[in-house]
Amino acid sequence: PVTPGELLCLGSSLALSGLFYYLYRKKARVVARIQEAPKLQVDDDLPALVSAAEGRCLPYVALEGKETLAGRPSHYHEGLQGVIQKLLLKEHRLIWNSLARSW
């Protein structure tokens, strides 16, 4: 005889396994798209390729070539070696505080 507790454990185990498998497959598709990314050279033809692309954006491309400094280096990052920049957009939400009666 199977107890309700055992059925609950079995069901939750199957649900978690299904969730983790779904997340694994989703990430595997992203990795496959990145591995199949076309390799482009950084040359004079690159701006024309970007402007001709849909939405002026090339998703998942690998750029190969020599980078050069576009302007003067930032005085905030003196020892920075590289050209990759991470952009972080943080949106501040207003939350109603019912105790203080303010946003």
Side-chain angles (χ1 to χ4, degrees):
V2 180
T3 64
E6 291 174 340
L7 287 176
L8 180 67
C9 289
L10 178 65
S12 62
S13 175
L14 288 174
L16 285 175
S17 295
L19 173 69
F20 290 138
Y21 182 72
Y22 167 75
L23 293 174
Y24 164 76
R25 294 299 301 162
K26 186 176 177 182
K27 296 299 179 185
R29 284 192 296 269
V30 171
V31 168
R33 284 185 60 196
I34 290 173
Q35 288 177 343
E36 295 170 357
K39 292 184 171 103
L40 302 176
Q41 293 293 325
V42 177
D43 55 8
D44 295 332
D45 298 333
L46 187 60
L49 282 171
V50 173
S51 63
E54 180 182 338
R56 296 182 53 133
C57 180
L58 297 172
Y60 297 125
V61 295
L63 294 177
E64 296 177 341
K66 185 176 179 183
E67 54 88 15
T68 57
L69 188 60
R72 64 181 181 85
S74 171
H75 62 278
Y76 295 111
H77 305 286
E78 294 174 4
L80 187 64
Q81 300 289 326
V83 295
I84 296 176
Q85 179 180 0
K86 181 179 180 181
L87 176 66
L88 176 66
L89 177 64
K90 185 174 183 181
E91 182 178 333
H92 297 280
R93 289 186 353 194
L94 291 177
I95 299 174
W96 175 255
N97 185 345
S98 62
L99 184 61
R101 295 186 184 229
S102 66
W103 287 99

